[in-house]
Amino acid sequence: MQRTTGGRGDVTTDAGLPVAPETAERLALSADAPPQPPGGSRTVRAAAAGHWERRGLATAAEQVLMAPGPAPLLLALLAVTGGDLVLTRPTAAWYAPQAELLGRRVHRVAAPAECGGVPDPVALLEAVRRARADGSPGPRVVVLSVADDPTGTVAPPELVHEVCEAAAEADLLIVSDETFRDVLHAPLTVVLSPAESLPGRTVVLTDLAAGALPSGWPAAVARFPANGPVAALRDPVCDVLARLGAVIVTPVAEAAALALTEPGPLRLRRTSANRLHGAVARAAHDALLEAGALCLPPACGFHLYADFAPLRPALAAHGVTGPDELARLLPGAAPGHRFGDDPRAPRVRIAVPVMYGDNPEQREAAAAATDPLRVPHVASALAALGRAFTELTAA
């Protein structure tokens, strides 16, 4: 069997598309601007506040912090809250290291059958009870991802509400990672933010690398509530960012402000990108199911999470006994244990941008196409993925 290269199949968030010309121009024009203060200037924070206002979350600039990527924001939050961290299994790869850097325990809770990104509410309560049974403080923060990486699913609103009720009962604070909220394959998909269900206990976190900015320009924003137990954390978190030197550079901050303002050309570009992500993810999902793997249907983002457990005998015949070997044989794949999953389970996350093209021109053509699946290099990449599945699962 021919081995494939990993390409973009690592654990980072990267939409795999060229930078918008308007965003690149704003970055270049800001090269000589004065440095940003910790947490971002009022201009960029106001742009983020407007972004959330348009999504139904009333926000003032004073409730917002900006940092060079989401990891410093989560690290600072955990530093000021104390206690352990609860994560869904599987979950984005960058969450757990922030707790581990602080010497905090990470408690993994299985997701329900219908989606990823949020824990089963009953299992969440039981995990917290067990963690606190010895009298230790135990978990203090739970991360939810209602539009999820790595599974590409959107949690049903009623389930999000149940999880928020369980978090309140367990006296947990919520970090709601809404990075993929705007990368929806169907525009009318309903996404309920935990900040709507449990506002005083929720910090909303958004990494702009999901499409607003390239991953090489790290920028993320956090929204704190105006009232409630989490509201008072905003200034201490900003102090930690300052002590870490986690201050966003001004050219990237200005590019982020433009992206968050969402002018017409950038909205059209996002629509085209989402059409591409959805079309290729659905085609890859169909190929997975045809091969006999298990995979939830994608609804957001540009990742699939595939379970090859039903195909263990066929995989073993090819010498594949675990997720690392499986990932090395599939384009755009990363082993599930990088996302907190069982290291023995044959599960992988597949990044579909690996199929958009090998250079900026090809990726731009894929995003601009009305029917991306008819673009020759995209069709060829999908066919290669299907052949890889067939080779892996053939008797």
Side-chain angles (χ1 to χ4, degrees):
M1 182 181 299
Q2 182 180 2
R3 292 187 178 271
T4 58
T5 57
R8 297 175 184 270
D10 56 16
V11 297
T12 61
T13 297
D14 186 353
L17 296 174
V19 181
E22 298 86 351
T23 309
E25 181 181 6
R26 176 65 64 90
L27 180 111
L29 290 174
S30 306
D32 296 324
Q36 294 281 302
S41 68
R42 181 175 178 81
T43 298
V44 299
R45 289 185 288 107
H51 169 90
W52 279 306
E53 286 272 2
R54 291 188 293 277
R55 285 149 183 82
L57 292 176
T59 308
E62 291 72 24
Q63 295 170 238
V64 177
L65 291 176
M66 178 174 278
L73 286 167
L74 181 58
L75 179 67
L77 272 164
L78 295 175
V80 303
T81 57
D84 297 338
L85 178 65
V86 180
L87 298 177
T88 306
R89 183 189 302 114
T91 194
W94 64 270
Y95 300 154
Q98 314 317 313
E100 293 162 354
L101 283 170
L102 296 169
R104 311 281 173 78
R105 291 180 62 193
V106 175
H107 304 266
R108 303 275 184 176
V109 181
E114 64 264 40
C115 68
V118 299
D120 177 89
V122 175
L124 172 62
L125 289 172
E126 178 60 19
V128 173
R129 184 196 66 77
R130 288 198 310 268
R132 293 173 178 167
D134 61 359
S136 64
R140 179 61 176 150
V141 176
V142 58
V143 177
L144 307 181
S145 179
V146 292
D148 184 46
D149 165 40
T151 66
T153 59
V154 175
E158 59 274 15
L159 178 59
V160 175
H161 185 68
E162 290 174 15
V163 174
C164 288
E165 286 184 334
E169 183 177 340
D171 193 26
L172 296 174
L173 305 180
I174 294 174
V175 174
S176 179
D177 182 358
E178 300 183 11
T179 294
F180 289 94
R181 177 172 181 154
D182 291 330
V183 192
L184 299 176
H185 301 169
L188 299 181
T189 302
V190 177
V191 180
L192 177 66
S193 170
E196 299 174 77
S197 188
L198 201 64
R201 285 183 168 270
T202 301
V203 177
V204 178
L205 191 62
T206 298
D207 181 3
L208 301 185
L213 295 179
S215 57
W217 302 358
V221 285
R223 176 198 179 272
F224 293 76
N227 302 290
V230 169
L233 299 179
R234 191 264 184 200
D235 289 346
V237 168
C238 190
D239 290 341
V240 173
L241 292 175
R243 293 171 66 184
L244 291 172
V247 179
I248 192 167
V249 297
T250 295
V252 173
E254 291 293 331
L258 177 66
L260 289 163
T261 305
E262 301 174 298
L266 295 190
R267 290 198 305 272
L268 290 174
R269 193 176 184 86
R270 182 174 66 207
T271 298
S272 298
N274 289 354
R275 180 174 61 240
L276 172 64
H277 298 321
V280 178
R282 287 190 296 273
H285 177 258
D286 290 345
L288 280 164
L289 297 187
E290 185 174 348
L294 302 176
C295 184
L296 290 169
C300 70
F302 31 83
H303 299 119
L304 299 168
Y305 199 74
D307 184 355
F308 285 78
L311 299 165
R312 280 185 186 273
L315 294 178
H318 292 287
V320 177
T321 59
D324 289 291
E325 297 138 314
L326 182 58
R328 284 194 292 269
L329 294 169
L330 295 175
H337 63 77
R338 296 194 190 181
F339 309 96
D341 213 337
D342 182 344
R344 298 163 298 179
R347 302 187 188 112
V348 293
R349 189 197 74 170
I350 296 174
V352 298
V354 73
M355 290 171 271
Y356 297 169
D358 296 328
N359 54 60
E361 293 74 22
Q362 286 187 337
R363 294 193 287 271
E364 191 73 53
T370 304
D371 184 357
L373 302 185
R374 296 177 68 87
V375 176
H377 65 266
V378 175
S380 176
L382 282 166
L385 182 68
R387 287 193 299 272
F389 293 155
T390 300
E391 291 179 17
L392 270 176
T393 57

